Coordinates of all heavy atoms in Angstrom, one line a residue:
P43 N 0.8 -1.2 0.0 CA 0.0 0.0 0.0 C 0.8 1.2 0.0 O 0.4 2.2 -0.6 CB -0.8 -0.1 1.3 CG -0.9 -1.6 1.6 CD 0.4 -2.1 1.1
F44 N 2.0 1.2 0.6 CA 2.8 2.4 0.7 C 3.3 2.8 -0.7 O 3.4 4.0 -1.1 CB 4.0 2.2 1.6 CG 4.9 3.4 1.7 CD1 4.5 4.6 2.4 CD2 6.1 3.4 1.1 CE1 5.3 5.7 2.5 CE2 7.0 4.5 1.2 CZ 6.5 5.7 1.9
A45 N 3.7 1.8 -1.5 CA 4.2 2.1 -2.8 C 3.1 2.6 -3.7 O 3.4 3.6 -4.5 CB 4.7 0.8 -3.5
L46 N 1.9 2.2 -3.5 CA 0.8 2.7 -4.3 C 0.5 4.2 -3.9 O 0.3 5.0 -4.8 CB -0.4 1.8 -4.1 CG -1.7 2.2 -4.9 CD1 -1.5 2.1 -6.4 CD2 -2.9 1.3 -4.4
A47 N 0.6 4.4 -2.6 CA 0.3 5.8 -2.2 C 1.5 6.8 -2.7 O 1.2 7.9 -3.1 CB 0.3 5.8 -0.6
T48 N 2.7 6.3 -2.7 CA 3.8 7.1 -3.2 C 3.6 7.3 -4.7 O 3.8 8.5 -5.1 CB 5.1 6.4 -2.9 OG1 5.2 6.2 -1.5 CG2 6.3 7.2 -3.4
A49 N 3.3 6.3 -5.4 CA 3.1 6.5 -6.9 C 1.9 7.4 -7.2 O 2.0 8.3 -8.1 CB 2.9 5.1 -7.5
A50 N 0.9 7.3 -6.4 CA -0.3 8.2 -6.6 C 0.1 9.7 -6.3 O -0.4 10.6 -7.0 CB -1.4 7.8 -5.7
T51 N 0.9 9.9 -5.2 CA 1.3 11.2 -4.9 C 2.1 11.8 -6.0 O 1.9 13.0 -6.4 CB 2.2 11.2 -3.6 OG1 1.4 10.6 -2.6 CG2 2.7 12.6 -3.2
I52 N 3.0 11.1 -6.6 CA 3.7 11.6 -7.7 C 2.9 11.9 -9.0 O 2.9 12.9 -9.6 CB 4.9 10.6 -8.1 CG1 5.9 10.5 -7.0 CG2 5.5 11.0 -9.4 CD1 6.8 9.4 -7.1
R53 N 2.0 10.9 -9.2 CA 1.0 11.1 -10.4 C 0.1 12.3 -10.2 O 0.0 13.1 -11.2 CB 0.2 9.8 -10.6 CG -0.8 9.8 -11.6 CD -0.2 9.7 -13.0 NE -1.2 9.6 -14.0 CZ -1.1 10.1 -15.2 NH1 0.0 10.7 -15.6 NH2 -2.1 10.0 -16.1
V54 N -0.5 12.4 -9.1 CA -1.4 13.5 -8.9 C -0.6 14.8 -8.9 O -1.1 15.8 -9.4 CB -2.2 13.3 -7.6 CG1 -2.9 14.6 -7.2 CG2 -3.2 12.1 -7.7
G55 N 0.6 14.8 -8.3 CA 1.4 16.0 -8.3 C 1.8 16.5 -9.7 O 1.7 17.7 -10.0
N56 N 2.1 15.5 -10.5 CA 2.5 15.9 -11.9 C 1.3 16.4 -12.7 O 1.4 17.4 -13.4 CB 3.1 14.6 -12.6 CG 4.5 14.3 -12.1 OD1 5.2 15.1 -11.6 ND2 4.9 13.1 -12.4
L57 N 0.2 15.8 -12.4 CA -1.0 16.3 -13.1 C -1.4 17.7 -12.7 O -1.8 18.5 -13.5 CB -2.2 15.3 -12.9 CG -2.0 14.0 -13.7 CD1 -3.1 12.9 -13.3 CD2 -2.2 14.2 -15.2
V58 N -1.4 17.9 -11.4 CA -1.7 19.2 -10.9 C -0.7 20.3 -11.4 O -1.1 21.4 -11.8 CB -1.8 19.2 -9.3 CG1 -1.8 20.7 -8.7 CG2 -2.9 18.4 -8.8
G59 N 0.6 19.9 -11.4 CA 1.6 20.8 -11.9 C 1.4 21.1 -13.4 O 1.7 22.2 -13.9
A60 N 0.9 20.2 -14.1 CA 0.6 20.4 -15.6 C -0.7 21.1 -15.8 O -1.1 21.3 -17.0 CB 0.6 19.0 -16.3
G61 N -1.4 21.5 -14.8 CA -2.7 22.2 -14.9 C -3.8 21.2 -15.3 O -4.8 21.7 -15.8
R62 N -3.7 20.0 -15.0 CA -4.7 19.0 -15.3 C -5.4 18.5 -14.0 O -5.4 17.3 -13.7 CB -4.1 17.8 -16.0 CG -3.4 18.1 -17.3 CD -4.4 18.6 -18.4 NE -5.7 17.9 -18.6 CZ -5.8 17.0 -19.5 NH1 -4.9 16.7 -20.4 NH2 -7.0 16.4 -19.6
G63 N -6.1 19.4 -13.3 CA -6.7 19.1 -12.1 C -7.9 18.1 -12.3 O -8.1 17.3 -11.3
D64 N -8.5 18.1 -13.4 CA -9.6 17.1 -13.7 C -9.0 15.7 -13.7 O -9.6 14.8 -13.1 CB -10.3 17.5 -15.0 CG -9.3 17.5 -16.2 OD1 -8.2 17.9 -16.0 OD2 -9.8 17.3 -17.3
R65 N -7.9 15.5 -14.4 CA -7.3 14.2 -14.4 C -6.7 13.8 -13.1 O -6.6 12.6 -12.8 CB -6.2 14.2 -15.5 CG -6.9 14.4 -16.9 CD -6.3 13.8 -18.0 NE -6.0 12.4 -18.0 CZ -5.1 11.9 -18.8 NH1 -4.6 12.5 -19.7 NH2 -4.9 10.6 -18.7
A66 N -6.2 14.8 -12.3 CA -5.7 14.5 -11.0 C -6.7 14.0 -10.1 O -6.6 13.1 -9.3 CB -5.0 15.8 -10.4
A67 N -8.0 14.6 -10.2 CA -9.1 14.1 -9.4 C -9.5 12.7 -9.7 O -9.7 11.8 -8.9 CB -10.3 15.0 -9.6
V68 N -9.4 12.3 -11.0 CA -9.7 11.0 -11.5 C -8.7 10.0 -10.9 O -9.0 8.9 -10.4 CB -9.8 10.9 -13.0 CG1 -9.9 9.4 -13.5 CG2 -11.0 11.7 -13.5
A69 N -7.4 10.4 -11.1 CA -6.3 9.6 -10.6 C -6.4 9.3 -9.1 O -6.1 8.2 -8.6 CB -5.0 10.2 -10.9
S70 N -6.8 10.3 -8.3 CA -6.9 10.1 -6.9 C -8.1 9.3 -6.5 O -7.9 8.4 -5.6 CB -7.0 11.5 -6.2 OG -8.2 12.1 -6.5
R71 N -9.1 9.3 -7.3 CA -10.3 8.4 -7.0 C -9.9 7.0 -7.3 O -10.3 6.1 -6.6 CB -11.5 8.8 -7.8 CG -12.2 10.0 -7.2 CD -13.6 10.3 -7.9 NE -13.8 11.7 -8.0 CZ -13.6 12.4 -9.1 NH1 -13.3 11.9 -10.2 NH2 -13.9 13.7 -9.0
V72 N -9.2 6.8 -8.4 CA -8.8 5.5 -8.8 C -7.9 4.8 -7.7 O -8.1 3.7 -7.4 CB -8.1 5.5 -10.2 CG1 -7.4 4.2 -10.4 CG2 -9.1 5.8 -11.3
V73 N -6.9 5.6 -7.2 CA -6.0 5.0 -6.2 C -6.7 4.7 -4.9 O -6.4 3.7 -4.2 CB -4.8 5.9 -6.1 CG1 -5.0 7.1 -5.1 CG2 -3.6 5.1 -5.5
V74 N -7.7 5.6 -4.5 CA -8.5 5.3 -3.3 C -9.3 4.0 -3.5 O -9.3 3.1 -2.6 CB -9.4 6.5 -2.9 CG1 -10.4 6.0 -1.9 CG2 -8.6 7.6 -2.5
G75 N -9.9 3.8 -4.7 CA -10.6 2.6 -5.0 C -9.7 1.3 -5.0 O -10.0 0.3 -4.4
L76 N -8.5 1.5 -5.6 CA -7.6 0.3 -5.7 C -7.1 0.0 -4.3 O -7.0 -1.2 -3.9 CB -6.4 0.6 -6.6 CG -6.7 0.6 -8.1 CD1 -5.4 1.1 -8.8 CD2 -7.0 -0.8 -8.5
G77 N -6.7 1.0 -3.6 CA -6.1 0.7 -2.2 C -7.2 0.2 -1.3 O -6.9 -0.8 -0.5
T78 N -8.4 0.7 -1.3 CA -9.4 0.2 -0.5 C -9.8 -1.3 -0.9 O -10.0 -2.1 0.0 CB -10.7 1.1 -0.6 OG1 -10.3 2.4 -0.2 CG2 -11.8 0.6 0.3
S79 N -9.8 -1.5 -2.2 CA -10.1 -2.9 -2.6 C -9.0 -3.9 -2.1 O -9.3 -5.0 -1.6 CB -10.2 -3.0 -4.1 OG -11.2 -2.2 -4.6
F80 N -7.7 -3.5 -2.2 CA -6.7 -4.4 -1.8 C -6.8 -4.6 -0.3 O -6.6 -5.8 0.1 CB -5.3 -3.7 -2.2 CG -4.1 -4.5 -1.6 CD1 -3.7 -5.7 -2.2 CD2 -3.4 -4.0 -0.5 CE1 -2.7 -6.4 -1.7 CE2 -2.4 -4.7 0.0 CZ -2.0 -5.9 -0.5
M81 N -7.0 -3.6 0.5 CA -7.1 -3.7 1.9 C -8.3 -4.5 2.4 O -8.3 -5.2 3.4 CB -7.0 -2.4 2.6 CG -5.6 -1.7 2.4 SD -4.2 -2.7 2.9 CE -4.3 -2.7 4.6
A82 N -9.4 -4.4 1.5 CA -10.6 -5.2 1.8 C -10.3 -6.7 1.7 O -10.8 -7.5 2.5 CB -11.7 -4.8 0.9
V83 N -9.5 -7.0 0.7 CA -9.1 -8.4 0.5 C -8.3 -8.8 1.7 O -8.4 -10.0 2.2 CB -8.4 -8.6 -0.9 CG1 -7.7 -10.0 -1.0 CG2 -9.3 -8.4 -2.0
C84 N -7.3 -8.0 2.1 CA -6.5 -8.3 3.3 C -7.4 -8.5 4.5 O -7.2 -9.4 5.3 CB -5.5 -7.2 3.5 SG -4.2 -7.1 2.2
G85 N -8.4 -7.6 4.7 CA -9.3 -7.8 5.8 C -10.1 -9.1 5.8 O -10.3 -9.7 6.8
L86 N -10.5 -9.5 4.5 CA -11.2 -10.7 4.4 C -10.3 -11.9 4.8 O -10.8 -12.9 5.4 CB -11.8 -10.9 3.0 CG -13.0 -10.0 2.7 CD1 -13.3 -10.1 1.2 CD2 -14.2 -10.4 3.5
A87 N -9.0 -11.8 4.4 CA -8.1 -12.9 4.7 C -7.9 -13.0 6.2 O -7.8 -14.1 6.8 CB -6.8 -12.6 4.0
I88 N -7.8 -11.8 6.9 CA -7.7 -11.8 8.4 C -9.0 -12.4 9.0 O -8.9 -13.2 9.9 CB -7.4 -10.4 8.9 CG1 -6.1 -10.0 8.5 CG2 -7.6 -10.3 10.4 CD1 -5.8 -8.5 8.7
Y89 N -10.1 -12.0 8.5 CA -11.4 -12.5 9.1 C -11.6 -14.0 8.9 O -11.9 -14.6 9.9 CB -12.6 -11.7 8.5 CG -13.9 -12.2 9.0 CD1 -14.3 -11.7 10.2 CD2 -14.7 -13.1 8.3 CE1 -15.5 -12.1 10.8 CE2 -15.9 -13.5 8.9 CZ -16.3 -13.0 10.1 OH -17.5 -13.4 10.6
F90 N -11.4 -14.4 7.7 CA -11.6 -15.9 7.5 C -10.5 -16.8 8.0 O -10.7 -17.9 8.2 CB -11.9 -16.1 6.0 CG -13.2 -15.7 5.6 CD1 -13.4 -14.6 4.7 CD2 -14.4 -16.2 6.1 CE1 -14.6 -14.1 4.3 CE2 -15.6 -15.8 5.7 CZ -15.7 -14.7 4.8
G91 N -9.3 -16.2 8.2 CA -8.2 -16.9 8.7 C -7.9 -16.7 10.2 O -6.8 -17.0 10.7
R92 N -8.9 -16.2 10.9 CA -8.7 -15.7 12.2 C -8.3 -16.9 13.2 O -7.6 -16.7 14.1 CB -9.9 -15.0 12.8 CG -11.1 -15.8 12.9 CD -12.3 -14.8 13.3 NE -13.6 -15.5 13.4 CZ -14.4 -15.6 12.4 NH1 -14.1 -15.2 11.2 NH2 -15.6 -16.3 12.6
Y93 N -8.7 -18.1 12.9 CA -8.4 -19.2 13.7 C -7.0 -19.7 13.4 O -6.3 -20.1 14.3 CB -9.4 -20.3 13.6 CG -10.8 -19.9 14.0 CD1 -11.8 -19.6 13.0 CD2 -11.1 -19.7 15.3 CE1 -13.0 -19.2 13.4 CE2 -12.4 -19.2 15.7 CZ -13.3 -19.0 14.7 OH -14.6 -18.6 15.1
E94 N -6.6 -19.6 12.2 CA -5.2 -20.1 11.8 C -4.2 -19.0 12.2 O -3.0 -19.4 12.4 CB -5.2 -20.3 10.3 CG -5.9 -21.5 9.8 CD -7.5 -21.3 9.7 OE1 -7.9 -20.1 9.7 OE2 -8.2 -22.2 9.6
L95 N -4.5 -17.7 12.2 CA -3.5 -16.7 12.5 C -3.0 -16.9 13.9 O -1.8 -16.7 14.1 CB -4.2 -15.3 12.5 CG -4.3 -14.7 11.1 CD1 -5.2 -13.4 11.2 CD2 -3.0 -14.4 10.5
G96 N -3.8 -17.3 14.8 CA -3.3 -17.4 16.2 C -2.4 -18.6 16.3 O -1.3 -18.5 17.1
E97 N -2.6 -19.6 15.6 CA -1.7 -20.8 15.6 C -0.3 -20.5 15.0 O 0.7 -21.1 15.3 CB -2.3 -22.0 14.9 CG -3.5 -22.5 15.7 CD -4.2 -23.7 15.1 OE1 -3.5 -24.3 14.2 OE2 -5.3 -24.1 15.5
M98 N -0.3 -19.5 14.1 CA 1.0 -19.1 13.4 C 1.9 -18.4 14.4 O 3.1 -18.5 14.2 CB 0.7 -18.3 12.2 CG 0.1 -19.1 11.1 SD -0.4 -18.1 9.6 CE 0.4 -16.6 9.6
F99 N 1.3 -17.7 15.4 CA 2.1 -16.9 16.3 C 2.2 -17.3 17.7 O 2.8 -16.6 18.5 CB 1.7 -15.4 16.1 CG 1.8 -14.9 14.8 CD1 0.7 -14.7 14.0 CD2 3.0 -14.5 14.3 CE1 0.8 -14.2 12.7 CE2 3.1 -13.9 13.0 CZ 2.0 -13.8 12.2
T100 N 1.5 -18.3 18.1 CA 1.5 -18.8 19.5 C 1.8 -20.3 19.5 O 1.8 -21.0 18.5 CB 0.1 -18.5 20.2 OG1 -0.8 -19.4 19.5 CG2 -0.3 -17.1 20.1
A101 N 1.9 -20.8 20.8 CA 2.2 -22.2 21.0 C 0.9 -23.0 21.0 O 1.0 -24.2 21.3 CB 3.0 -22.4 22.3
G102 N -0.2 -22.4 20.7 CA -1.5 -23.2 20.7 C -2.2 -23.1 21.9 O -3.1 -23.9 22.1
D103 N -2.0 -22.2 22.8 CA -2.8 -22.0 24.0 C -4.2 -21.7 23.7 O -4.5 -20.7 23.0 CB -2.2 -20.9 24.9 CG -2.9 -20.7 26.2 OD1 -3.8 -21.4 26.5 OD2 -2.5 -19.7 26.9
P104 N -5.2 -22.5 24.1 CA -6.6 -22.3 23.7 C -7.2 -20.9 24.1 O -7.9 -20.4 23.3 CB -7.4 -23.4 24.4 CG -6.3 -24.4 24.8 CD -5.0 -23.7 24.9
E105 N -6.8 -20.4 25.2 CA -7.3 -19.1 25.6 C -6.8 -18.0 24.7 O -7.5 -17.1 24.3 CB -6.8 -18.8 27.1 CG -7.7 -19.5 28.1 CD -7.4 -19.0 29.5 OE1 -7.3 -17.8 29.7 OE2 -7.1 -19.9 30.4
V106 N -5.5 -18.1 24.4 CA -4.9 -17.1 23.5 C -5.5 -17.2 22.1 O -5.9 -16.2 21.4 CB -3.4 -17.2 23.4 CG1 -2.8 -16.3 22.3 CG2 -2.7 -17.0 24.7
L107 N -5.7 -18.4 21.6 CA -6.4 -18.6 20.3 C -7.8 -18.0 20.2 O -8.2 -17.4 19.2 CB -6.4 -20.1 19.9 CG -5.0 -20.7 19.7 CD1 -5.1 -22.2 19.5 CD2 -4.3 -20.0 18.6
R108 N -8.5 -18.2 21.3 CA -9.9 -17.7 21.4 C -9.9 -16.2 21.4 O -10.7 -15.5 20.7 CB -10.6 -18.2 22.6 CG -11.4 -19.5 22.4 CD -12.3 -19.8 23.6 NE -11.7 -19.8 24.9 CZ -11.1 -20.8 25.4 NH1 -11.0 -21.9 24.7 NH2 -10.6 -20.8 26.6
A109 N -8.9 -15.6 22.2 CA -8.8 -14.1 22.2 C -8.5 -13.6 20.8 O -9.0 -12.6 20.4 CB -7.8 -13.7 23.2
I110 N -7.6 -14.2 20.1 CA -7.2 -13.8 18.8 C -8.3 -13.9 17.8 O -8.6 -13.0 17.0 CB -6.0 -14.5 18.3 CG1 -4.7 -14.2 19.1 CG2 -5.7 -14.3 16.8 CD1 -3.5 -15.0 18.8
A111 N -9.1 -15.0 17.9 CA -10.3 -15.1 17.1 C -11.3 -14.1 17.3 O -12.1 -13.7 16.4 CB -10.8 -16.5 17.2
M112 N -11.4 -13.6 18.6 CA -12.4 -12.6 18.9 C -12.0 -11.2 18.4 O -12.8 -10.4 18.0 CB -12.6 -12.6 20.4 CG -13.5 -13.7 20.9 SD -13.7 -13.8 22.7 CE -13.7 -12.1 23.2
I113 N -10.6 -11.0 18.5 CA -10.1 -9.6 18.1 C -9.9 -9.5 16.6 O -10.0 -8.4 16.1 CB -8.8 -9.4 18.9 CG1 -9.1 -9.3 20.4 CG2 -8.1 -8.1 18.4 CD1 -7.8 -9.3 21.2
A114 N -9.6 -10.5 15.9 CA -9.3 -10.5 14.5 C -10.4 -9.8 13.7 O -10.0 -9.0 12.8 CB -9.0 -11.9 14.0
P115 N -11.7 -10.0 13.9 CA -12.7 -9.2 13.1 C -12.5 -7.7 13.2 O -12.7 -7.0 12.3 CB -14.0 -9.7 13.6 CG -13.7 -11.1 14.1 CD -12.4 -11.0 14.7
L116 N -12.1 -7.2 14.4 CA -11.8 -5.8 14.6 C -10.7 -5.4 13.7 O -10.7 -4.3 13.1 CB -11.6 -5.4 16.0 CG -12.7 -5.7 17.0 CD1 -12.3 -5.5 18.4 CD2 -13.9 -4.8 16.6
G117 N -9.6 -6.2 13.7 CA -8.5 -5.9 12.8 C -8.8 -5.9 11.3 O -8.3 -5.1 10.6
A118 N -9.7 -6.8 11.0 CA -10.2 -6.9 9.6 C -10.9 -5.7 9.2 O -10.7 -5.1 8.1 CB -11.0 -8.1 9.4
A119 N -11.8 -5.2 10.0 CA -12.5 -3.9 9.8 C -11.6 -2.7 9.7 O -11.8 -1.8 8.9 CB -13.6 -3.7 10.8
Y120 N -10.6 -2.7 10.6 CA -9.7 -1.6 10.6 C -8.9 -1.5 9.3 O -8.6 -0.4 8.9 CB -8.7 -1.9 11.8 CG -7.5 -0.9 11.8 CD1 -7.8 0.4 12.2 CD2 -6.3 -1.3 11.4 CE1 -6.7 1.3 12.3 CE2 -5.2 -0.4 11.4 CZ -5.4 0.9 11.8 OH -4.4 1.8 11.9
Q121 N -8.6 -2.6 8.7 CA -7.9 -2.6 7.4 C -8.6 -1.7 6.4 O -7.9 -0.9 5.7 CB -7.7 -4.0 6.8 CG -6.9 -4.9 7.7 CD -5.5 -4.4 7.9 OE1 -4.8 -3.9 7.0 NE2 -5.0 -4.4 9.1
V122 N -9.9 -1.9 6.2 CA -10.6 -1.1 5.3 C -10.7 0.4 5.7 O -10.4 1.3 4.9 CB -12.0 -1.6 5.1 CG1 -12.8 -0.8 4.1 CG2 -11.9 -3.1 4.6
N123 N -11.0 0.7 6.9 CA -11.1 2.0 7.4 C -9.7 2.8 7.3 O -9.6 3.9 6.9 CB -11.5 2.1 8.9 CG -12.9 1.7 9.0 OD1 -13.7 1.8 8.1 ND2 -13.2 1.1 10.2
R124 N -8.7 2.0 7.6 CA -7.3 2.6 7.5 C -7.0 3.0 6.1 O -6.4 4.0 5.8 CB -6.3 1.6 8.1 CG -4.9 2.2 8.0 CD -3.9 1.1 8.4 NE -2.5 1.5 8.1 CZ -1.9 1.3 7.0 NH1 -2.5 0.7 6.0 NH2 -0.7 1.7 6.8
S125 N -7.3 2.1 5.1 CA -7.0 2.3 3.8 C -7.7 3.6 3.2 O -7.1 4.3 2.4 CB -7.3 1.1 2.9 OG -8.6 0.9 2.8
V126 N -8.9 3.7 3.6 CA -9.7 4.9 3.1 C -9.0 6.2 3.6 O -8.8 7.1 2.8 CB -11.2 4.8 3.5 CG1 -11.9 6.1 3.2 CG2 -11.9 3.7 2.8
L127 N -8.7 6.2 4.8 CA -8.0 7.4 5.4 C -6.6 7.6 4.8 O -6.2 8.7 4.5 CB -7.9 7.3 6.9 CG -9.3 7.4 7.6 CD1 -9.0 7.2 9.1 CD2 -9.9 8.8 7.4
H128 N -5.9 6.5 4.7 CA -4.5 6.5 4.1 C -4.5 7.1 2.7 O -3.7 7.9 2.4 CB -3.9 5.1 4.2 CG -2.5 5.1 3.7 ND1 -1.4 5.5 4.4 CD2 -2.0 4.6 2.5 CE1 -0.3 5.3 3.8 NE2 -0.6 4.8 2.6
Y129 N -5.3 6.6 1.9 CA -5.3 6.9 0.5 C -6.0 8.3 0.2 O -5.7 9.0 -0.7 CB -5.8 5.8 -0.4 CG -4.9 4.7 -0.5 CD1 -5.3 3.5 0.1 CD2 -3.7 4.7 -1.1 CE1 -4.4 2.4 0.1 CE2 -2.8 3.7 -1.1 CZ -3.2 2.5 -0.5 OH -2.4 1.4 -0.5
A130 N -7.0 8.6 1.0 CA -7.8 9.8 0.8 C -7.0 11.1 1.3 O -7.2 12.2 0.8 CB -9.1 9.7 1.5
L131 N -6.1 10.9 2.3 CA -5.4 12.0 2.8 C -4.1 12.1 2.1 O -3.3 12.7 1.9 CB -5.2 11.8 4.3 CG -6.4 11.8 5.1 CD1 -6.1 11.6 6.6 CD2 -7.2 13.0 5.0

């Protein structure tokens, strides 16, 4: 996502500098859509893999795995919200 944001900054800056504000607006909307779509896929992966994620990072303690499974949907939702703010600002 950082590389996409950097590329978008350069693209929009070049278009604004060239006096093409209309195309800069389109480019910014496209990158917000692409970034949000990518992060939505990441959020879905976190949500649907919430039980496996805990096992990747812990020794398999059932309490820890349950806690991770409960918290993971919040992290999944955060991915989408973060991307909108990241790419829109």
Side-chain angles (χ1 to χ4, degrees):
F44 180 74
L46 183 62
T48 302
T51 300
I52 293 167
R53 176 76 174 147
V54 170
N56 285 340
L57 288 169
V58 169
R62 300 296 313 260
D64 55 331
R65 298 211 46 202
V68 170
S70 65
R71 282 190 217 102
V72 168
V73 81
V74 168
L76 285 173
T78 302
S79 298
F80 174 75
M81 294 307 284
V83 170
C84 292
L86 287 172
I88 291 170
Y89 180 78
F90 288 113
R92 63 188 180 269
Y93 300 105
E94 290 80 14
L95 280 174
E97 292 183 14
M98 289 176 16
F99 297 103
T100 66
D103 182 4
E105 282 187 50
V106 174
L107 295 176
R108 271 194 304 278
I110 291 171
M112 285 176 33
I113 294 170
L116 296 173
Y120 172 75
Q121 295 300 312
V122 177
N123 292 333
R124 177 186 173 272
S125 69
V126 171
L127 291 174
H128 180 76
Y129 291 109
L131 298 178

